[in-house]
Amino acid sequence: MSISHGLPEGFSPQSYDAIVVGAGYAGAVCARRLTEACGSKVAVVERRSHIAGNAYDYEDEAGVLVHKYGPHIYHTADERVHEFLSRFTSWTEYSHKVLANVHGTLMPVPFNHRSLRLAFGDERGEELYQKLVATFGENKKVPILELRRKNDPDLEEVADYVYENVFLHYTMKQWGKTPDQIDAAVTSRVPVFVGDDDRYFPQAPHQGMPAEGYTTLFEHMLDHDLINVFLDVDVRDILKVKESTVEVCGKPYGGEVIYTGALDELFDLDLGALPYRTVDMVFETLDMDQFQPVGTVNYTVSENFTRITEFKNMTGQVVPGKTTILREYSREYLPGVGETPYYVIGNAKNRELYQAYRDRVRGVLNFHVVGRLAEYRYYDMDGVVASALELSDEIIQSH
Ligand code: FAD
Ligand code: UDP
């Protein structure tokens, strides 16, 4: 692998079998697979000055390993994804735990058996828990919107409490809307858990952190003689999508193009901007060993940030006397001015706009879209890797 900043003088796209736009999971997985399976020479073009996309991590001035674009915790039930990524890293034993700060009481999220006892007291909490077990069974996940639909006074009591104290205000801060106004799939990511497991991803068979961090994982994935990475290059300066062809550096390009950026940007937002939420990530280094008991504390009824993450609690890194925390402030994303489009806003109207952009690249047979931006989907890392593995299967088969 070579990594350079900018394109070299006389850069010739024709000397590459494939051009991959974006060095995040979607792009890096495709680049690696095409080189290995087809012997393709691949140019990876990335507009940031680093690889790893939103999973990028680095050591800050205090020497603490932090995640620049928000806390990333690996978890998956997909064996193929796990096997593929495990070629490039080993994993720590870390299981992510989250507490909600509800008027000063810290209770597990997803809301579980212990949270019920903390919220309602031991006796009443236990009664309500037994009712949940009788209704849904043990070790079951129940989305809050489903719980709210149950017509039973005890279950309503639980649903009202959890809705008000865990979901309503947090969701207002995160999305500017109530839980009923957003795609139900979003809040069902964090269901009530009828059981004692207090991990954020109960039942995910594989969870942990890459032992040497995410950026190192990406260095290993991109480390192949046939892969060249060009950082600080915005592909829009060299690539144009026409009706049935792609032009790179002013000439038709016949190799495969794998695009992992936002589709609206590729067309200068000419049908309108795809809506997103962005997040202001505010880091602070403190002169102490530990700030909070777990990786993340969600502020579900107070504050104007959503959560505080303490990285050392997730990575297990030992840095005596210093710790770095991150507060996340979510807000509307302003298109076209260089902000980071973090969260897709999934609703029928936005998906229709996305489809209109997607239709414009459908006829270009060597142009492929994959990833959270290019597919306009709220993907976790494993979902993106799965999608990139599938796309690369298709391309490999066609060669
Ligand atoms: P990205 O990582 O965004 O990569 C796309 C790359 O393309 C970027 O580097 C971008 O700079 C580049 N690019 C775009 N346009 C151009 C262009 N015109 N020219 C050149 N390059 C371009 N997932 C989990 O599994 N666990 C978590 O705990 C988790 N936490 C998250 C927390 C936050 C705050 C957010 C927002 C997401 C989180 N995710 C998590 C999701 C995870 O970040 C994504 O699933 C994953 O990083 C997406 O990979 P990608 O390759 O599709 O996109
Ligand atoms: N959520 C909430 N309170 C919480 C945790 C989550 O209201 O304590 C809702 C909120 O709408 C959030 C969604 O559930 O956007 C998904 O949460 P998750 O932690 O999966 O979000 P991410 O880590 O992707 O930001």
Side-chain angles (χ1 to χ4, degrees):
M1 169 184 60
S2 77
I3 295 193
S4 48
H5 291 262
L7 288 174
E9 192 104 347
F11 170 75
S12 166
Q14 270 66 26
S15 66
Y16 290 94
D17 303 300
I19 294 177
V20 169
V21 180
Y25 279 102
V29 169
C30 289
R32 181 77 192 199
R33 290 212 65 222
L34 294 191
T35 52
E36 284 185 341
C38 307
S40 301
K41 191 172 174 204
V42 180
V44 178
V45 176
E46 166 58 61
R47 72 177 166 201
R48 289 171 170 164
S49 56
H50 59 74
I51 59 171
N54 277 1
Y56 175 66
D57 55 14
Y58 67 100
E59 278 190 10
D60 68 10
E61 279 176 16
V64 179
L65 186 68
V66 300
H67 299 174
K68 178 169 175 148
Y69 304 97
H72 279 69
I73 302 96
Y74 172 71
H75 59 102
T76 191
D78 186 322
E79 293 301 331
R80 188 180 183 205
V81 165
H82 189 62
E83 201 177 305
F84 183 79
L85 292 179
S86 300
R87 292 176 52 201
F88 310 110
T89 187
S90 55
W91 306 96
T92 69
E93 291 287 311
Y94 178 68
S95 285
H96 194 45
K97 297 207 173 157
V98 176
L99 295 170
N101 183 322
V102 181
H103 303 298
T105 301
L106 296 178
M107 43 183 84
V109 174
F111 201 85
N112 68 3
H113 189 184
R114 194 154 75 84
S115 319
L116 270 169
R117 294 176 72 121
L118 284 165
F120 293 94
D122 284 343
E123 204 174 310
R124 182 68 184 140
E126 194 55 38
E127 267 171 34
L128 292 170
Y129 179 67
Q130 292 309 330
K131 189 67 173 267
L132 285 171
V133 172
T135 311
F136 299 103
E138 226 165 357
N139 293 327
K140 289 284 166 0
K141 299 174 178 176
V142 186
I144 180 63
L145 297 181
E146 185 184 326
L147 186 60
R148 284 188 100 205
R149 285 196 292 270
K150 290 279 172 211
N151 209 0
D152 171 285
D154 286 340
L155 298 181
E156 259 172 38
E157 192 178 342
V158 177
D160 286 351
Y161 181 91
V162 177
Y163 185 82
E164 171 64 32
N165 291 290
V166 179
F167 285 94
L168 180 59
H169 306 283
Y170 187 101
T171 299
M172 283 302 296
K173 285 188 276 185
Q174 174 71 10
W175 299 99
K177 290 190 162 49
T178 66
D180 313 86
Q181 291 168 332
I182 62 172
D183 188 340
V186 173
T187 47
S188 68
R189 287 168 57 86
V190 191
V192 170
F193 189 70
V194 186
D196 290 298
D197 196 334
D198 63 351
R199 296 172 303 168
Y200 202 57
F201 308 109
Q203 301 166 333
H206 305 292
Q207 44 188 309
M209 303 293 278
E212 295 168 78
Y214 289 99
T215 305
T216 305
L217 185 169
F218 276 80
E219 279 165 7
H220 293 163
M221 196 173 356
L222 292 166
D223 184 14
H224 192 289
D225 288 348
L226 293 174
I227 299 177
N228 292 339
V229 180
F230 302 99
L231 300 174
D232 296 314
V233 180
D234 191 321
V235 89
R236 292 172 299 175
D237 295 337
I238 56 166
L239 182 144
K240 295 273 171 285
V241 175
K242 305 279 170 155
E243 224 157 83
S244 59
T245 54
V246 192
E247 278 185 5
V248 183
C249 298
K251 292 196 187 126
Y253 180 73
E256 306 291 355
V257 177
I258 291 149
Y259 180 76
T260 76
L263 275 184
D264 59 348
E265 282 190 357
L266 203 54
F267 296 101
D268 294 327
L269 319 180
D270 63 1
L271 300 175
L274 286 167
Y276 290 93
R277 297 287 286 180
T278 191
V279 181
D280 293 326
M281 304 283 175
V282 180
F283 293 84
E284 188 182 1
T285 298
L286 306 166
D287 293 325
M288 56 174 72
D289 284 327
Q290 190 172 18
F291 171 76
Q292 62 188 26
V294 290
T296 299
V297 174
N298 287 357
Y299 286 77
T300 56
V301 291
S302 60
E303 314 303 337
N304 53 358
F305 50 84
T306 51
R307 56 189 178 188
I308 296 184
T309 294
E310 183 173 13
F311 291 98
K312 278 167 62 182
N313 289 348
M314 302 194 321
T315 58
Q317 195 191 11
V318 178
V319 184
K322 296 274 182 200
T323 192
T324 300
I325 60 170
L326 166 65
R327 292 181 176 83
E328 292 174 58
Y329 298 83
S330 174
R331 64 175 171 81
E332 194 183 339
Y333 163 77
L334 302 174
V337 295
E339 291 189 342
T340 307
Y342 279 111
Y343 290 94
V344 162
I345 303 178
N347 62 35
K349 186 165 157 250
N350 297 348
R351 280 191 272 266
E352 197 179 310
L353 178 59
Y354 170 74
Q355 278 307 328
Y357 281 114
R358 184 86 187 240
D359 287 345
R360 286 163 77 168
V361 299
R362 222 174 278 285
V364 191
L365 299 180
N366 61 334
F367 187 85
H368 312 276
V369 296
V370 61
R372 69 179 188 105
L373 292 166
E375 295 181 62
Y376 197 65
R377 278 187 62 172
Y378 192 159
Y379 266 135
D380 283 324
M381 296 183 278
D382 64 332
V384 169
V385 173
S387 186
L389 289 173
E390 273 166 37
L391 172 65
S392 42
D393 283 346
E394 283 167 29
I395 299 175
I396 290 163
Q397 264 163 24
S398 73
H399 275 252

